[in-house]
Amino acid sequence: MKRRNIIILLSLLITSLGFSQGNCSKFYPMEEGQSFQYTMSNKKGKPEGTTDYSITEVSNAGGVTTATMNMKLTDKKGKEIMVSDFKMSCTGEGVKIDYNSLVPSQMIKQYTDMGMEMEISGTDVDIPNNLTVGQDLADANVTVNIKMTGMNMTMKVDQINRKVEKRESVTTPAGTFDCYVISEDNISETMGVKQNMSSKLWLAEGIGMVKQEMYRKNGELNSHMELTKYNK
């Protein structure tokens, strides 16, 4: 897998995860069997593939609910690109996503099978239950260090300037939803080479992520993803 594709996937995972209402969260699913499908498009609006999420397991312990999510990424020809599982946990205050879980297990296996070592660190992303317009949200990040014979490689993605911009109604093939719009800046770095982008996330109570857009440094739209169907 090319390093650029890994960075894009990490950015996607960091910025786009948000689902339906559960026991302890307004925006993330905590019930087995729920599933969501998103269609990804390029800046010209042409479909490039789909991402399917499903909840495979939910557990409760010590006042914390933990859900295991399965993600499947498929290209526009229907070819499976990647499958991965990750976990998120929530209390009555909101959701935190474990970045160690967000790094795709398939990517880890690919590198370890090649004799490489991986070290993953980061700061969990936080989505509070009580969002208000103008609210600032905590920064988040993930860093992946890959060690190989004679060479070390570091990939890093930072989410900064996270803010609840406004509320607005959004329509997708899955329906019409009242959403919070969350904006943020995304800085990715691979072996000293940085890429700056920004994103907007439309998040609806009882559903989660409805739409997400990524923008280049100059403000030009780079990619688009929207909810096309879901099963609760």
Side-chain angles (χ1 to χ4, degrees):
M1 182 180 296
K2 296 181 180 178
R3 290 195 299 269
R4 178 177 177 272
N5 290 339
I6 295 172
I7 289 294
I8 291 174
L9 180 59
L10 288 174
S11 298
L12 176 67
L13 288 169
I14 291 171
T15 58
S16 69
L17 294 170
F19 303 89
S20 68
Q21 186 172 5
N23 297 333
C24 56
S25 171
K26 292 181 179 179
F27 303 109
Y28 285 71
M30 291 292 163
E31 296 179 11
E32 292 183 19
Q34 291 181 328
S35 61
F36 301 79
Q37 184 177 83
Y38 298 88
T39 297
M40 301 172 292
S41 304
N42 61 22
K43 63 181 181 181
K44 295 182 179 180
K46 294 183 178 180
E48 292 193 326
T50 58
T51 304
D52 290 274
Y53 295 95
S54 61
I55 307 164
T56 58
E57 184 179 358
V58 178
S59 62
N60 295 275
V64 177
T65 300
T66 302
T68 300
M69 306 292 298
N70 176 263
M71 182 201 77
K72 182 174 72 173
L73 188 64
T74 307
D75 67 15
K76 61 183 178 182
K77 295 182 179 180
K79 180 181 178 181
E80 185 178 287
I81 300 174
M82 178 170 289
V83 176
S84 185
D85 291 324
F86 59 92
K87 295 182 184 296
M88 67 178 85
S89 60
C90 76
T91 63
E93 296 181 356
V95 169
K96 290 184 179 294
I97 300 171
D98 177 7
Y99 276 100
N100 190 66
S101 298
L102 278 180
V103 178
S105 55
Q106 185 174 341
M107 185 182 82
I108 295 175
K109 184 178 186 303
Q110 180 182 14
Y111 279 103
T112 53
D113 286 349
M114 296 169 63
M116 303 178 187
E117 297 180 3
M118 296 183 67
E119 295 180 355
I120 305 165
S121 60
T123 304
D124 294 343
V125 66
D126 186 18
I127 302 289
N129 279 339
N130 297 319
L131 294 179
T132 58
V133 175
Q135 180 180 3
D136 293 322
L137 303 178
D139 294 344
N141 64 78
V142 62
T143 300
V144 180
N145 293 309
I146 301 174
K147 298 180 180 180
M148 60 196 84
T149 303
M151 181 179 177
N152 292 335
M153 181 174 68
T154 299
M155 296 178 290
K156 184 178 181 181
V157 180
D158 290 305
Q159 276 181 272
I160 62 174
N161 303 322
R162 301 176 65 225
K163 186 171 185 175
V164 183
E165 280 194 353
K166 58 183 177 179
R167 295 189 71 167
E168 68 178 16
S169 179
V170 172
T171 299
T172 77
T176 299
F177 309 92
D178 180 31
C179 298
Y180 289 94
V181 182
I182 300 176
S183 63
E184 62 186 43
D185 294 323
N186 299 275
I187 304 173
S188 61
E189 182 176 354
T190 305
M191 300 181 69
V193 179
K194 289 186 176 182
Q195 182 178 17
N196 296 310
M197 301 186 75
S198 61
S199 68
K200 289 187 179 181
L201 172 68
W202 282 258
L203 197 65
E205 292 187 18
I207 295 295
M209 192 189 81
V210 171
K211 184 173 73 170
Q212 182 250 350
E213 293 180 346
M214 298 287 292
Y215 305 90
R216 298 182 183 276
K217 186 177 180 180
N218 61 5
E220 179 184 359
L221 180 66
N222 182 69
S223 63
H224 171 92
M225 185 164 66
E226 65 180 8
L227 181 68
T228 45
K229 62 181 180 180
Y230 64 96
N231 176 34
K232 297 176 62 178

